[in-house]
Amino acid sequence: MINLVNYDSELERFTDKEDLIQFYSKYEIDGIELQKVQELQEKYLHPDMIIGMHLSFYNTWVDFYKGDMDKVLNEYGTMEVVEQIYGGTDKSAILKAYKEQLEFADRIGAKYVVFHICDVSVEETFTGRFIHSDEEVIDASCSLINELLDGKSYQFDFLMENLWWPGLNYKNPLMAKRLIDGVNYTKKGLMLDTGHLMNTNQELKTPKDALQYIRKVMKEHSSIKEYIKGIHLHQSLSGENAKRMRSSKIELKQDYWERMYQLYEYIFSLDEHKPFVCEGVKEFIEEINPKYLTYELITRNREEHETYLKQISTIYD
C-alpha cells in the first residue's frame, strides 16, 4: 500500500481515480491505506482501492478518557477548545468518533485498521518529561479498544502502532505483551512503524545503523513477533535534530492552537517519513513476513512521491 490522507491538496495531485491507480500500480502496489478526514470524493477514491484505514489520533487523550478534567483543561485552556478537539465534553465523544470510523472501515471492506498506542501533551513533546507511564497508556488503550470492539464481529484486523512517546514504543518487551494480552479482539495485531522505532534512538546515523537497531529490538520482542501483521516502512534519522531542538528550550505560546503550530513544525522535523532503503531491508521484511506492507511517506507533491517510490523499489532489485 501507499498511505493517503484525503485532503484536497493530496487528492488534487491526481486527475481522477484512474490516474491515481495508474500512479501506484506501476510500483506493484495493491491499493491505499487511507486516513479519512472528509468524505471519500468518488472522483478520486473508490472503496475497492482502500485496503487499510488509519484511524484518527488524539495526541493526548488518556486524561479526557478518564474524566480528569483538571488535567484536560491544563492542556487545552478552555472547554471550548476541548469540544473542538474531541467533539464533546466526555469520553462518549471519542467513542462515537472511533465507532463511526470503524463502521465505515467495515462497510467498505477494509482488511485492517491502524490505531496509535500513545499519549503525549504538547509540553511533554518538547521536554521529554512525561506524566503517564507506558503502562498507564497501554492500560487505558486496552480499556478504550475493548469498549469499541467487544461484541463486534468486524472482518478487519485491528493493528496497534508504535510511536516513541509513552505507550507502545518497544522499549520494554513486557509492555508490548501487556498490550496484546489486554485486548480482547480476536483479530488483533501490531503495525510496526520502522521510522517511529528509529526515533527511540537518537544515536542512529545511517540506514544501516537503523536496520541493525530494529533487528535488535525485534529480537528482544520475539515473543510477540506473530502479532506483527503490518509494517509502516519509512525512515527517520533525525536524532541530531532532536537533540538540537531539545537543547534550544523553545518557549511555548499560551494559546493552545499557537502551541500546536509550534508542535507540528517540531514533529515534522523529527518524523521524516523518508524511504528506508539499504542492503538488508528486503530480507528484514521477509523475516517479519507481514500481511500488510505500507510505504508510509510524507511528500510535498506528486513528483517527490514518485521519486520516493522509485527509491523504495530498488530494495527489491
Side-chain angles (χ1 to χ4, degrees), residues 74-115:
N74 186 58
E75 172 73 1
Y76 297 109
T78 69
M79 286 304 297
E80 181 182 4
V81 175
V82 170
E83 290 191 60
Q84 290 171 341
I85 295 293
Y86 297 110
T89 58
D90 59 42
K91 73 173 187 178
S92 65
I94 55 176
L95 289 170
K96 178 176 181 290
Y98 280 129
K99 284 176 181 176
E100 288 174 353
Q101 293 174 55
L102 294 171
E103 292 293 338
F104 175 83
D106 192 53
R107 191 163 61 249
I108 67 169
K111 296 183 183 299
Y112 70 92
V113 301
V114 182
F115 181 80

Side-chain angles (χ1 to χ4, degrees), residues 240-254:
E240 291 303 316
N241 195 25
K243 293 177 189 177
R244 185 172 60 254
M245 296 191 74
R246 178 66 54 80
S247 64
S248 66
K249 296 181 181 179
I250 295 171
E251 185 175 340
L252 293 176
K253 302 290 187 181
Q254 289 297 312

Side-chain angles (χ1 to χ4, degrees), residues 109-124:
K111 296 183 183 299
Y112 70 92
V113 301
V114 182
F115 181 80
H116 282 171
I117 306 296
C118 180
D119 181 278
V120 61
S121 70
V122 174
E123 183 175 347
E124 289 172 324

Side-chain angles (χ1 to χ4, degrees), residues 103 106 148-156 185-187:
E103 292 293 338
D106 192 53
L148 291 169
L149 298 181
D150 280 359
K152 299 293 185 181
S153 55
Y154 295 129
Q155 295 305 303
F156 50 69
Y185 188 67
T186 304
K187 293 183 284 294

Side-chain angles (χ1 to χ4, degrees), residues 68-293:
D68 192 340
M69 296 309 292
D70 288 340
K71 289 180 181 175
V72 171
L73 286 171
N74 186 58
E75 172 73 1
Y76 297 109
T78 69
M79 286 304 297
E80 181 182 4
V81 175
V82 170
E83 290 191 60
Q84 290 171 341
I85 295 293
Y86 297 110
T89 58
D90 59 42
K91 73 173 187 178
S92 65
I94 55 176
L95 289 170
K96 178 176 181 290
Y98 280 129
K99 284 176 181 176
E100 288 174 353
Q101 293 174 55
L102 294 171
E103 292 293 338
F104 175 83
D106 192 53
R107 191 163 61 249
I108 67 169
K111 296 183 183 299
Y112 70 92
V113 301
V114 182
F115 181 80
H116 282 171
I117 306 296
C118 180
D119 181 278
V120 61
S121 70
V122 174
E123 183 175 347
E124 289 172 324
T125 304
F126 288 100
T127 65
R129 296 189 295 272
F130 304 111
I131 295 173
H132 297 299
S133 66
D134 293 341
E135 185 175 2
E136 288 176 301
V137 176
I138 284 170
D139 287 351
S141 297
C142 291
S143 176
L144 172 62
I145 293 165
N146 289 335
E147 277 200 75
L148 291 169
L149 298 181
D150 280 359
K152 299 293 185 181
S153 55
Y154 295 129
Q155 295 305 303
F156 50 69
D157 290 318
F158 189 91
L159 307 185
M160 297 167 285
E161 180 180 350
N162 58 295
L163 280 97
W164 62 99
W165 296 302
L168 179 64
N169 47 45
Y170 293 118
K171 293 178 181 178
N172 183 344
L174 294 178
M175 291 298 100
K177 188 174 188 306
R178 187 183 187 93
L179 174 64
I180 290 294
D181 291 346
V183 171
N184 301 328
Y185 188 67
T186 304
K187 293 183 284 294
K188 60 190 170 185
L190 301 170
M191 174 64 79
L192 171 63
D193 190 294
T194 57
H196 293 170
L197 185 52
M198 293 177 204
N199 282 346
T200 65
N201 184 345
Q202 295 180 359
E203 304 307 315
L204 301 175
K205 304 289 193 243
T206 68
K208 185 177 179 180
D209 293 339
L211 181 59
Q212 185 177 6
Y213 174 67
I214 292 170
R215 285 184 182 277
K216 172 180 174 292
V217 174
M218 289 297 100
K219 185 176 181 180
E220 293 168 352
H221 287 76
S222 58
S223 65
I224 50 90
K225 181 178 179 291
E226 65 182 288
Y227 289 99
I228 302 176
K229 297 181 181 180
I231 296 178
H232 278 169
L233 190 72
H234 65 98
Q235 172 183 297
S236 183
L237 295 173
S238 56
E240 291 303 316
N241 195 25
K243 293 177 189 177
R244 185 172 60 254
M245 296 191 74
R246 178 66 54 80
S247 64
S248 66
K249 296 181 181 179
I250 295 171
E251 185 175 340
L252 293 176
K253 302 290 187 181
Q254 289 297 312
D255 178 77
Y256 175 76
W257 298 113
E258 291 181 359
R259 290 202 305 276
M260 282 299 291
Y261 181 77
Q262 292 176 290
L263 174 66
Y264 280 122
E265 284 190 311
Y266 180 51
I267 295 304
F268 284 125
S269 73
L270 298 185
D271 199 15
E272 295 177 323
H273 286 263
K274 292 181 178 178
F276 184 22
V277 178
C278 72
E279 184 179 349
V281 170
K282 174 177 177 286
E283 289 75 16
F284 170 72
I285 294 168
E286 290 171 348
E287 289 167 18
I288 298 296
N289 192 27
K291 291 172 67 176
Y292 315 108
L293 176 64

